[in-house]
Amino acid sequence: MAEKAKVSIGTVDRVLHNRGEVAESTKKKILKIIEELDYQPNFLASTLASKKSAVFATLFPEPPSAEGYWNKPFIGVKKRISELKPYGIQIKHFTFNQPDSKSFETEAKRILKLQPDGVVLAPFFKKESIRFIEQLKENNIPFVFIDSEIKNAGHLSYIGQNSYQSGFVSAKLLDLSLRTGNILVIHFAKEMDNQNHLVQRERGFYDWFQVSNKENHEIFTTEIADTDTDQWMQKVKKEITEKNIRGIFVTNSKVFYVGRMVEKYKLSDLKIIGHDLLKENTDFLKKGIVQFLICQRPEEQGYNAINKLFRNVVQKRKVSEENYTSIDIVIRENIEYYKEFK
């Protein structure tokens, strides 16, 4: 249900300014009638009258391919922008190199130079993101986080999964799937300590075993910064053998790398869980090599993030600070029912 717009006594005064003095009681009666009729301001007419359209900027990681994860949030962004065409909303899209925190800073400076009316960003690198958002706040530019969140950062809203809870759920799934053996948590990332959402997923994963008093699995963590060669595969295969690994949790959308390793070395008896409905990931899900994918609806994140900016910047409405998307558990038996993949 739409929020009722508050109509002030001053507004009533302006409406009746040609009618001479109006008793205070009459003003209040008119105001009550307007509120009962659920009066809504015509934001479209106001925007057209002002001859000024809002400019929003997005700052996302650059996807490595057309099938890459970060194409998906921008699909949602473009859909909402197209719906807001009558308002003349403009979008400027900026991308940074995922392994390179300096490219994030470069693109952030370009956005600040643009001075947009609002920003949607993925705070991929925590330290660089904090510096950027401090500058946004200095310039009174509202911003929305998607995919991951930095707590108490002054953001207008966050759209995405609860990363900690996602790791928590993943841990329970693997524990239920494993009778014996140990678990390996894999981060395919550079500057791991600077990637907030992966840190939160790992923390949630470990905490589930702690709070549930599960001691039947030992958990190990490894970080893989370079996948250009197969050397990392040799390292992980050795860990699997020496540490009796039977479960693998990949903290981001690159679980397909583990699938390739399993095929190359013909490994078996592994339970594997990862994130996101990329084609490379769903291929291994269908083959039965990956058992679970955690889906976080990236198109919905992009769509809702733009909508939050629109409601706040153009419609001057208050928006909710946290908007967690669902933590969907996708398996081989239900993959065909997810429209993101179809």
Side-chain angles (χ1 to χ4, degrees), residues 60-75 98 122 124 146-148 159-161 197 201 252-254 275-281 294-299 301 325:
F60 299 162
E62 184 175 355
S65 67
E67 297 292 336
Y69 171 84
W70 282 102
N71 285 298
K72 297 177 182 291
F74 197 57
I75 290 173
Q98 291 192 41
F124 204 77
I146 69 166
D147 188 68
S148 62
I159 315 290
Q161 273 187 354
H197 62 304
R201 284 175 183 168
N252 59 12
S253 62
K254 298 180 180 179
H275 288 76
D276 303 322
L277 296 185
L278 305 187
K279 185 178 185 305
E280 299 99 318
N281 292 343
I294 303 297
C295 175
Q296 54 183 330
R297 302 180 181 271
E299 295 94 339
Q301 291 182 31
T325 54

mmCIF file of all heavy atoms in Angstrom, residues 60-75 98 122 124 146-148 159-161 197 201 252-254 275-281 294-299 301 325:
data_model
loop_
_atom_site.group_PDB
_atom_site.id
_atom_site.type_symbol
_atom_site.label_atom_id
_atom_site.label_comp_id
_atom_site.label_asym_id
_atom_site.label_seq_id
_atom_site.Cartn_x
_atom_site.Cartn_y
_atom_site.Cartn_z
ATOM 1 N N PHE A 60 30.229 -1.259 -10.114
ATOM 2 C CA PHE A 60 30.242 -2.710 -9.955
ATOM 3 C C PHE A 60 31.561 -3.285 -10.469
ATOM 4 O O PHE A 60 32.235 -2.657 -11.295
ATOM 5 C CB PHE A 60 29.107 -3.363 -10.780
ATOM 6 C CG PHE A 60 27.712 -2.936 -10.403
ATOM 7 C CD1 PHE A 60 26.666 -3.154 -11.286
ATOM 8 C CD2 PHE A 60 27.438 -2.335 -9.179
ATOM 9 C CE1 PHE A 60 25.372 -2.776 -10.968
ATOM 10 C CE2 PHE A 60 26.145 -1.952 -8.853
ATOM 11 C CZ PHE A 60 25.114 -2.172 -9.750
ATOM 12 N N PRO A 61 31.919 -4.485 -10.028
ATOM 13 C CA PRO A 61 33.061 -5.172 -10.645
ATOM 14 C C PRO A 61 32.774 -5.464 -12.111
ATOM 15 O O PRO A 61 31.626 -5.736 -12.491
ATOM 16 C CB PRO A 61 33.167 -6.480 -9.847
ATOM 17 C CG PRO A 61 32.477 -6.204 -8.565
ATOM 18 C CD PRO A 61 31.359 -5.252 -8.901
ATOM 19 N N GLU A 62 33.801 -5.407 -12.925
ATOM 20 C CA GLU A 62 33.638 -5.723 -14.341
ATOM 21 C C GLU A 62 33.564 -7.236 -14.520
ATOM 22 O O GLU A 62 34.464 -7.962 -14.102
ATOM 23 C CB GLU A 62 34.809 -5.176 -15.147
ATOM 24 C CG GLU A 62 34.660 -5.387 -16.650
ATOM 25 C CD GLU A 62 35.775 -4.720 -17.444
ATOM 26 O OE1 GLU A 62 36.601 -4.020 -16.819
ATOM 27 O OE2 GLU A 62 35.807 -4.905 -18.664
ATOM 28 N N PRO A 63 32.485 -7.759 -15.129
ATOM 29 C CA PRO A 63 32.369 -9.207 -15.311
ATOM 30 C C PRO A 63 33.388 -9.710 -16.321
ATOM 31 O O PRO A 63 33.663 -9.030 -17.323
ATOM 32 C CB PRO A 63 30.938 -9.396 -15.821
ATOM 33 C CG PRO A 63 30.563 -8.074 -16.396
ATOM 34 C CD PRO A 63 31.310 -7.030 -15.625
ATOM 35 N N PRO A 64 33.967 -10.891 -16.094
ATOM 36 C CA PRO A 64 34.983 -11.409 -17.004
ATOM 37 C C PRO A 64 34.428 -11.895 -18.343
ATOM 38 O O PRO A 64 35.177 -12.067 -19.300
ATOM 39 C CB PRO A 64 35.594 -12.571 -16.211
ATOM 40 C CG PRO A 64 34.497 -13.006 -15.294
ATOM 41 C CD PRO A 64 33.744 -11.766 -14.938
ATOM 42 N N SER A 65 33.101 -12.118 -18.408
ATOM 43 C CA SER A 65 32.486 -12.609 -19.643
ATOM 44 C C SER A 65 31.024 -12.201 -19.662
ATOM 45 O O SER A 65 30.491 -11.674 -18.672
ATOM 46 C CB SER A 65 32.602 -14.139 -19.727
ATOM 47 O OG SER A 65 31.802 -14.742 -18.719
ATOM 48 N N ALA A 66 30.374 -12.487 -20.789
ATOM 49 C CA ALA A 66 28.950 -12.162 -20.920
ATOM 50 C C ALA A 66 28.095 -12.960 -19.946
ATOM 51 O O ALA A 66 26.977 -12.571 -19.619
ATOM 52 C CB ALA A 66 28.491 -12.421 -22.349
ATOM 53 N N GLU A 67 28.623 -14.103 -19.482
ATOM 54 C CA GLU A 67 27.898 -14.944 -18.539
ATOM 55 C C GLU A 67 28.263 -14.624 -17.094
ATOM 56 O O GLU A 67 27.759 -15.254 -16.168
ATOM 57 C CB GLU A 67 28.203 -16.424 -18.824
ATOM 58 C CG GLU A 67 27.757 -16.917 -20.188
ATOM 59 C CD GLU A 67 26.249 -16.963 -20.327
ATOM 60 O OE1 GLU A 67 25.565 -17.052 -19.287
ATOM 61 O OE2 GLU A 67 25.756 -16.915 -21.459
ATOM 62 N N GLY A 68 29.165 -13.663 -16.895
ATOM 63 C CA GLY A 68 29.655 -13.357 -15.558
ATOM 64 C C GLY A 68 28.565 -12.843 -14.626
ATOM 65 O O GLY A 68 27.591 -12.215 -15.058
ATOM 66 N N TYR A 69 28.780 -13.065 -13.340
ATOM 67 C CA TYR A 69 27.791 -12.715 -12.321
ATOM 68 C C TYR A 69 27.400 -11.245 -12.364
ATOM 69 O O TYR A 69 26.220 -10.891 -12.256
ATOM 70 C CB TYR A 69 28.342 -13.071 -10.929
ATOM 71 C CG TYR A 69 27.491 -12.556 -9.797
ATOM 72 C CD1 TYR A 69 26.382 -13.277 -9.359
ATOM 73 C CD2 TYR A 69 27.775 -11.338 -9.171
ATOM 74 C CE1 TYR A 69 25.583 -12.808 -8.329
ATOM 75 C CE2 TYR A 69 26.972 -10.862 -8.140
ATOM 76 C CZ TYR A 69 25.889 -11.596 -7.722
ATOM 77 O OH TYR A 69 25.094 -11.119 -6.707
ATOM 78 N N TRP A 70 28.382 -10.354 -12.539
ATOM 79 C CA TRP A 70 28.100 -8.928 -12.397
ATOM 80 C C TRP A 70 27.390 -8.316 -13.593
ATOM 81 O O TRP A 70 27.074 -7.121 -13.594
ATOM 82 C CB TRP A 70 29.373 -8.167 -12.052
ATOM 83 C CG TRP A 70 29.687 -8.347 -10.608
ATOM 84 C CD1 TRP A 70 30.619 -9.168 -10.045
ATOM 85 C CD2 TRP A 70 29.004 -7.717 -9.520
ATOM 86 N NE1 TRP A 70 30.569 -9.093 -8.681
ATOM 87 C CE2 TRP A 70 29.590 -8.209 -8.320
ATOM 88 C CE3 TRP A 70 27.962 -6.796 -9.429
ATOM 89 C CZ2 TRP A 70 29.167 -7.800 -7.063
ATOM 90 C CZ3 TRP A 70 27.533 -6.394 -8.178
ATOM 91 C CH2 TRP A 70 28.141 -6.893 -7.014
ATOM 92 N N ASN A 71 27.092 -9.121 -14.620
ATOM 93 C CA ASN A 71 26.159 -8.663 -15.651
ATOM 94 C C ASN A 71 24.735 -8.630 -15.108
ATOM 95 O O ASN A 71 23.909 -7.837 -15.554
ATOM 96 C CB ASN A 71 26.202 -9.591 -16.874
ATOM 97 C CG ASN A 71 27.439 -9.389 -17.713
ATOM 98 O OD1 ASN A 71 27.668 -8.308 -18.252
ATOM 99 N ND2 ASN A 71 28.263 -10.413 -17.824
ATOM 100 N N LYS A 72 24.460 -9.520 -14.160
ATOM 101 C CA LYS A 72 23.086 -9.718 -13.703
ATOM 102 C C LYS A 72 22.513 -8.530 -12.920
ATOM 103 O O LYS A 72 21.382 -8.110 -13.183
ATOM 104 C CB LYS A 72 22.998 -11.020 -12.905
ATOM 105 C CG LYS A 72 23.321 -12.261 -13.729
ATOM 106 C CD LYS A 72 23.288 -13.522 -12.901
ATOM 107 C CE LYS A 72 23.663 -14.739 -13.735
ATOM 108 N NZ LYS A 72 22.613 -15.052 -14.721
ATOM 109 N N PRO A 73 23.240 -7.963 -11.940
ATOM 110 C CA PRO A 73 22.658 -6.792 -11.266
ATOM 111 C C PRO A 73 22.363 -5.641 -12.215
ATOM 112 O O PRO A 73 21.363 -4.930 -12.045
ATOM 113 C CB PRO A 73 23.743 -6.396 -10.251
ATOM 114 C CG PRO A 73 24.527 -7.632 -10.032
ATOM 115 C CD PRO A 73 24.519 -8.355 -11.342
ATOM 116 N N PHE A 74 23.216 -5.471 -13.247
ATOM 117 C CA PHE A 74 22.991 -4.354 -14.162
ATOM 118 C C PHE A 74 21.774 -4.593 -15.054
ATOM 119 O O PHE A 74 21.153 -3.636 -15.521
ATOM 120 C CB PHE A 74 24.229 -4.087 -15.008
ATOM 121 C CG PHE A 74 24.210 -2.729 -15.660
ATOM 122 C CD1 PHE A 74 24.082 -1.582 -14.892
ATOM 123 C CD2 PHE A 74 24.292 -2.594 -17.030
ATOM 124 C CE1 PHE A 74 24.041 -0.323 -15.482
ATOM 125 C CE2 PHE A 74 24.246 -1.342 -17.627
ATOM 126 C CZ PHE A 74 24.115 -0.205 -16.855
ATOM 127 N N ILE A 75 21.411 -5.853 -15.263
ATOM 128 C CA ILE A 75 20.165 -6.144 -15.980
ATOM 129 C C ILE A 75 18.987 -5.577 -15.187
ATOM 130 O O ILE A 75 18.076 -4.952 -15.742
ATOM 131 C CB ILE A 75 20.002 -7.669 -16.185
ATOM 132 C CG1 ILE A 75 21.034 -8.180 -17.196
ATOM 133 C CG2 ILE A 75 18.578 -8.005 -16.655
ATOM 134 C CD1 ILE A 75 21.059 -9.689 -17.337
ATOM 135 N N GLN A 98 38.165 -6.597 -10.885
ATOM 136 C CA GLN A 98 37.950 -7.313 -9.629
ATOM 137 C C GLN A 98 39.227 -7.567 -8.827
ATOM 138 O O GLN A 98 39.207 -7.436 -7.602
ATOM 139 C CB GLN A 98 37.222 -8.634 -9.888
ATOM 140 C CG GLN A 98 35.778 -8.444 -10.338
ATOM 141 C CD GLN A 98 34.990 -9.726 -10.318
ATOM 142 O OE1 GLN A 98 35.100 -10.531 -9.398
ATOM 143 N NE2 GLN A 98 34.176 -9.942 -11.338
ATOM 144 N N ALA A 122 28.855 -1.753 -5.129
ATOM 145 C CA ALA A 122 29.233 -2.986 -4.446
ATOM 146 C C ALA A 122 30.528 -2.684 -3.689
ATOM 147 O O ALA A 122 31.559 -2.464 -4.322
ATOM 148 C CB ALA A 122 29.452 -4.104 -5.458
ATOM 149 N N PHE A 124 33.201 -3.779 -2.728
ATOM 150 C CA PHE A 124 34.016 -4.967 -2.959
ATOM 151 C C PHE A 124 35.280 -4.943 -2.108
ATOM 152 O O PHE A 124 35.656 -5.932 -1.490
ATOM 153 C CB PHE A 124 34.361 -5.028 -4.453
ATOM 154 C CG PHE A 124 34.690 -6.392 -4.969
ATOM 155 C CD1 PHE A 124 33.690 -7.315 -5.218
ATOM 156 C CD2 PHE A 124 35.994 -6.751 -5.223
ATOM 157 C CE1 PHE A 124 33.987 -8.572 -5.710
ATOM 158 C CE2 PHE A 124 36.302 -8.010 -5.710
ATOM 159 C CZ PHE A 124 35.303 -8.914 -5.960
ATOM 160 N N ILE A 146 24.866 -2.902 -2.687
ATOM 161 C CA ILE A 146 24.313 -4.182 -3.107
ATOM 162 C C ILE A 146 25.389 -5.250 -2.948
ATOM 163 O O ILE A 146 26.585 -4.950 -2.900
ATOM 164 C CB ILE A 146 23.776 -4.185 -4.557
ATOM 165 C CG1 ILE A 146 24.913 -4.075 -5.582
ATOM 166 C CG2 ILE A 146 22.761 -3.089 -4.780
ATOM 167 C CD1 ILE A 146 24.443 -4.421 -6.986
ATOM 168 N N ASP A 147 24.957 -6.493 -2.840
ATOM 169 C CA ASP A 147 25.808 -7.690 -2.763
ATOM 170 C C ASP A 147 26.479 -7.848 -1.408
ATOM 171 O O ASP A 147 26.502 -8.933 -0.853
ATOM 172 C CB ASP A 147 26.862 -7.697 -3.872
ATOM 173 C CG ASP A 147 27.623 -9.019 -3.932
ATOM 174 O OD1 ASP A 147 26.992 -10.029 -4.285
ATOM 175 O OD2 ASP A 147 28.821 -9.030 -3.623
ATOM 176 N N SER A 148 27.077 -6.783 -0.873
ATOM 177 C CA SER A 148 27.667 -6.856 0.465
ATOM 178 C C SER A 148 27.486 -5.516 1.154
ATOM 179 O O SER A 148 27.251 -4.491 0.505
ATOM 180 C CB SER A 148 29.145 -7.238 0.392
ATOM 181 O OG SER A 148 29.890 -6.274 -0.313
ATOM 182 N N ILE A 159 20.821 -3.727 -0.298
ATOM 183 C CA ILE A 159 20.030 -4.743 -0.993
ATOM 184 C C ILE A 159 20.934 -5.947 -1.221
ATOM 185 O O ILE A 159 21.938 -5.861 -1.934
ATOM 186 C CB ILE A 159 19.510 -4.253 -2.361
ATOM 187 C CG1 ILE A 159 18.936 -2.837 -2.267
ATOM 188 C CG2 ILE A 159 18.503 -5.231 -2.932
ATOM 189 C CD1 ILE A 159 17.658 -2.728 -1.522
ATOM 190 N N GLY A 160 20.607 -7.072 -0.647
ATOM 191 C CA GLY A 160 21.424 -8.265 -0.862
ATOM 192 C C GLY A 160 21.225 -9.277 0.242
ATOM 193 O O GLY A 160 20.414 -9.097 1.144
ATOM 194 N N GLN A 161 21.979 -10.355 0.143
ATOM 195 C CA GLN A 161 21.904 -11.383 1.162
ATOM 196 C C GLN A 161 22.548 -10.921 2.464
ATOM 197 O O GLN A 161 23.405 -10.039 2.475
ATOM 198 C CB GLN A 161 22.643 -12.641 0.697
ATOM 199 C CG GLN A 161 21.815 -13.605 -0.105
ATOM 200 C CD GLN A 161 22.566 -14.905 -0.375
ATOM 201 O OE1 GLN A 161 23.737 -15.050 -0.057
ATOM 202 N NE2 GLN A 161 21.895 -15.853 -0.988
ATOM 203 N N HIS A 197 32.324 -9.236 2.217
ATOM 204 C CA HIS A 197 31.274 -10.246 2.129
ATOM 205 C C HIS A 197 31.823 -11.661 2.243
ATOM 206 O O HIS A 197 31.185 -12.549 2.818
ATOM 207 C CB HIS A 197 30.473 -10.081 0.845
ATOM 208 C CG HIS A 197 31.242 -10.243 -0.421
ATOM 209 N ND1 HIS A 197 32.366 -9.503 -0.732
ATOM 210 C CD2 HIS A 197 31.054 -11.076 -1.479
ATOM 211 C CE1 HIS A 197 32.817 -9.859 -1.907
ATOM 212 N NE2 HIS A 197 32.046 -10.825 -2.378
ATOM 213 N N ARG A 201 30.893 -14.445 5.133
ATOM 214 C CA ARG A 201 30.439 -15.803 4.824
ATOM 215 C C ARG A 201 31.280 -16.841 5.565
ATOM 216 O O ARG A 201 30.751 -17.820 6.106
ATOM 217 C CB ARG A 201 30.498 -16.049 3.315
ATOM 218 C CG ARG A 201 29.370 -15.383 2.545
ATOM 219 C CD ARG A 201 29.532 -15.558 1.054
ATOM 220 N NE ARG A 201 28.476 -14.845 0.326
ATOM 221 C CZ ARG A 201 28.484 -14.632 -0.980
ATOM 222 N NH1 ARG A 201 29.506 -15.067 -1.717
ATOM 223 N NH2 ARG A 201 27.493 -13.983 -1.559
ATOM 224 N N ASN A 252 32.509 -17.671 -3.003
ATOM 225 C CA ASN A 252 31.979 -16.758 -4.023
ATOM 226 C C ASN A 252 31.457 -17.547 -5.221
ATOM 227 O O ASN A 252 31.173 -18.750 -5.103
ATOM 228 C CB ASN A 252 33.021 -15.722 -4.439
ATOM 229 C CG ASN A 252 34.289 -16.345 -5.006
ATOM 230 O OD1 ASN A 252 34.336 -17.548 -5.297
ATOM 231 N ND2 ASN A 252 35.331 -15.550 -5.155
ATOM 232 N N SER A 253 31.338 -16.898 -6.357
ATOM 233 C CA SER A 253 30.681 -17.506 -7.520
ATOM 234 C C SER A 253 31.608 -18.385 -8.360
ATOM 235 O O SER A 253 31.230 -18.802 -9.451
ATOM 236 C CB SER A 253 30.085 -16.405 -8.406
ATOM 237 O OG SER A 253 31.114 -15.553 -8.889
ATOM 238 N N LYS A 254 32.810 -18.702 -7.861
ATOM 239 C CA LYS A 254 33.802 -19.409 -8.672
ATOM 240 C C LYS A 254 33.927 -20.887 -8.325
ATOM 241 O O LYS A 254 34.993 -21.487 -8.461
ATOM 242 C CB LYS A 254 35.153 -18.709 -8.548
ATOM 243 C CG LYS A 254 35.110 -17.275 -9.071
ATOM 244 C CD LYS A 254 36.443 -16.578 -8.955
ATOM 245 C CE LYS A 254 36.358 -15.145 -9.487
ATOM 246 N NZ LYS A 254 37.654 -14.427 -9.375
ATOM 247 N N HIS A 275 28.253 -20.570 -4.729
ATOM 248 C CA HIS A 275 27.269 -19.493 -4.865
ATOM 249 C C HIS A 275 26.996 -19.149 -6.329
ATOM 250 O O HIS A 275 27.893 -19.212 -7.165
ATOM 251 C CB HIS A 275 27.760 -18.220 -4.163
ATOM 252 C CG HIS A 275 27.726 -18.305 -2.678
ATOM 253 N ND1 HIS A 275 28.650 -19.018 -1.954
ATOM 254 C CD2 HIS A 275 26.866 -17.760 -1.772
ATOM 255 C CE1 HIS A 275 28.371 -18.915 -0.665
ATOM 256 N NE2 HIS A 275 27.306 -18.154 -0.528
ATOM 257 N N ASP A 276 25.746 -18.807 -6.585
ATOM 258 C CA ASP A 276 25.314 -18.119 -7.807
ATOM 259 C C ASP A 276 25.072 -19.030 -9.004
ATOM 260 O O ASP A 276 25.819 -19.977 -9.260
ATOM 261 C CB ASP A 276 26.289 -17.009 -8.186
ATOM 262 C CG ASP A 276 26.465 -16.005 -7.051
ATOM 263 O OD1 ASP A 276 25.457 -15.712 -6.376
ATOM 264 O OD2 ASP A 276 27.596 -15.540 -6.820
ATOM 265 N N LEU A 277 24.031 -18.641 -9.749
ATOM 266 C CA LEU A 277 23.565 -19.442 -10.886
ATOM 267 C C LEU A 277 24.245 -19.036 -12.189
ATOM 268 O O LEU A 277 23.586 -18.741 -13.186
ATOM 269 C CB LEU A 277 22.043 -19.317 -11.031
ATOM 270 C CG LEU A 277 21.212 -19.851 -9.877
ATOM 271 C CD1 LEU A 277 19.731 -19.773 -10.201
ATOM 272 C CD2 LEU A 277 21.597 -21.286 -9.535
ATOM 273 N N LEU A 278 25.563 -19.031 -12.192
ATOM 274 C CA LEU A 278 26.286 -18.860 -13.453
ATOM 275 C C LEU A 278 26.172 -20.153 -14.251
ATOM 276 O O LEU A 278 26.057 -21.245 -13.685
ATOM 277 C CB LEU A 278 27.761 -18.571 -13.193
ATOM 278 C CG LEU A 278 28.101 -17.384 -12.287
ATOM 279 C CD1 LEU A 278 29.604 -17.158 -12.289
ATOM 280 C CD2 LEU A 278 27.380 -16.136 -12.726
ATOM 281 N N LYS A 279 26.246 -20.046 -15.567
ATOM 282 C CA LYS A 279 26.130 -21.242 -16.393
ATOM 283 C C LYS A 279 27.224 -22.257 -16.058
ATOM 284 O O LYS A 279 26.972 -23.465 -16.000
ATOM 285 C CB LYS A 279 26.199 -20.878 -17.876
ATOM 286 C CG LYS A 279 25.956 -22.083 -18.787
ATOM 287 C CD LYS A 279 25.986 -21.712 -20.245
ATOM 288 C CE LYS A 279 25.614 -22.912 -21.110
ATOM 289 N NZ LYS A 279 26.455 -24.089 -20.859
ATOM 290 N N GLU A 280 28.460 -21.755 -15.837
ATOM 291 C CA GLU A 280 29.547 -22.678 -15.496
ATOM 292 C C GLU A 280 29.236 -23.443 -14.215
ATOM 293 O O GLU A 280 29.546 -24.641 -14.103
ATOM 294 C CB GLU A 280 30.863 -21.909 -15.313
ATOM 295 C CG GLU A 280 31.341 -21.167 -16.557
ATOM 296 C CD GLU A 280 30.980 -19.692 -16.481
ATOM 297 O OE1 GLU A 280 29.843 -19.393 -16.055
ATOM 298 O OE2 GLU A 280 31.829 -18.859 -16.837
ATOM 299 N N ASN A 281 28.604 -22.776 -13.247
ATOM 300 C CA ASN A 281 28.268 -23.436 -11.983
ATOM 301 C C ASN A 281 27.119 -24.420 -12.139
ATOM 302 O O ASN A 281 27.154 -25.535 -11.604
ATOM 303 C CB ASN A 281 27.902 -22.392 -10.927
ATOM 304 C CG ASN A 281 29.081 -21.550 -10.501
ATOM 305 O OD1 ASN A 281 30.236 -21.905 -10.731
ATOM 306 N ND2 ASN A 281 28.806 -20.419 -9.877
ATOM 307 N N ILE A 294 24.038 -21.603 -3.661
ATOM 308 C CA ILE A 294 23.265 -20.609 -2.928
ATOM 309 C C ILE A 294 23.004 -19.440 -3.877
ATOM 310 O O ILE A 294 23.925 -18.805 -4.367
ATOM 311 C CB ILE A 294 24.018 -20.113 -1.686
ATOM 312 C CG1 ILE A 294 24.374 -21.290 -0.777
ATOM 313 C CG2 ILE A 294 23.195 -19.072 -0.941
ATOM 314 C CD1 ILE A 294 23.189 -22.029 -0.218
ATOM 315 N N CYS A 295 21.743 -19.170 -4.138
ATOM 316 C CA CYS A 295 21.360 -18.127 -5.097
ATOM 317 C C CYS A 295 20.937 -16.871 -4.353
ATOM 318 O O CYS A 295 20.211 -16.949 -3.355
ATOM 319 C CB CYS A 295 20.213 -18.634 -5.971
ATOM 320 S SG CYS A 295 19.543 -17.413 -7.099
ATOM 321 N N GLN A 296 21.377 -15.693 -4.832
ATOM 322 C CA GLN A 296 21.051 -14.446 -4.147
ATOM 323 C C GLN A 296 20.346 -13.422 -5.038
ATOM 324 O O GLN A 296 20.334 -12.238 -4.744
ATOM 325 C CB GLN A 296 22.307 -13.839 -3.549
ATOM 326 C CG GLN A 296 23.445 -13.626 -4.526
ATOM 327 C CD GLN A 296 24.682 -13.078 -3.835
ATOM 328 O OE1 GLN A 296 24.600 -12.369 -2.833
ATOM 329 N NE2 GLN A 296 25.845 -13.387 -4.361
ATOM 330 N N ARG A 297 19.785 -13.840 -6.159
ATOM 331 C CA ARG A 297 18.923 -12.984 -6.993
ATOM 332 C C ARG A 297 19.554 -11.636 -7.340
ATOM 333 O O ARG A 297 19.060 -10.569 -6.932
ATOM 334 C CB ARG A 297 17.570 -12.785 -6.311
ATOM 335 C CG ARG A 297 16.843 -14.101 -6.042
ATOM 336 C CD ARG A 297 15.516 -13.903 -5.383
ATOM 337 N NE ARG A 297 14.874 -15.185 -5.121
ATOM 338 C CZ ARG A 297 14.068 -15.815 -5.969
ATOM 339 N NH1 ARG A 297 13.807 -15.275 -7.136
ATOM 340 N NH2 ARG A 297 13.527 -16.972 -5.644
ATOM 341 N N PRO A 298 20.648 -11.630 -8.089
ATOM 342 C CA PRO A 298 21.360 -10.376 -8.379
ATOM 343 C C PRO A 298 20.558 -9.388 -9.220
ATOM 344 O O PRO A 298 20.720 -8.171 -9.063
ATOM 345 C CB PRO A 298 22.612 -10.851 -9.122
ATOM 346 C CG PRO A 298 22.253 -12.204 -9.671
ATOM 347 C CD PRO A 298 21.326 -12.809 -8.663
ATOM 348 N N GLU A 299 19.701 -9.886 -10.138
ATOM 349 C CA GLU A 299 18.883 -8.958 -10.927
ATOM 350 C C GLU A 299 17.969 -8.151 -10.015
ATOM 351 O O GLU A 299 17.787 -6.938 -10.191
ATOM 352 C CB GLU A 299 18.050 -9.723 -11.963
ATOM 353 C CG GLU A 299 18.859 -10.420 -13.026
ATOM 354 C CD GLU A 299 19.148 -11.869 -12.673
ATOM 355 O OE1 GLU A 299 19.085 -12.217 -11.461
ATOM 356 O OE2 GLU A 299 19.453 -12.655 -13.580
ATOM 357 N N GLN A 301 18.528 -7.395 -6.955
ATOM 358 C CA GLN A 301 19.324 -6.431 -6.200
ATOM 359 C C GLN A 301 19.502 -5.123 -6.987
ATOM 360 O O GLN A 301 19.322 -4.029 -6.449
ATOM 361 C CB GLN A 301 20.697 -7.025 -5.869
ATOM 362 C CG GLN A 301 20.660 -8.154 -4.864
ATOM 363 C CD GLN A 301 22.049 -8.666 -4.527
ATOM 364 O OE1 GLN A 301 23.017 -7.916 -4.549
ATOM 365 N NE2 GLN A 301 22.148 -9.946 -4.225
ATOM 366 N N THR A 325 17.729 -10.043 0.612
ATOM 367 C CA THR A 325 17.131 -10.932 -0.372
ATOM 368 C C THR A 325 17.157 -12.360 0.173
ATOM 369 O O THR A 325 17.858 -12.664 1.135
ATOM 370 C CB THR A 325 17.883 -10.869 -1.713
ATOM 371 O OG1 THR A 325 19.281 -11.127 -1.480
ATOM 372 C CG2 THR A 325 17.750 -9.495 -2.340
#
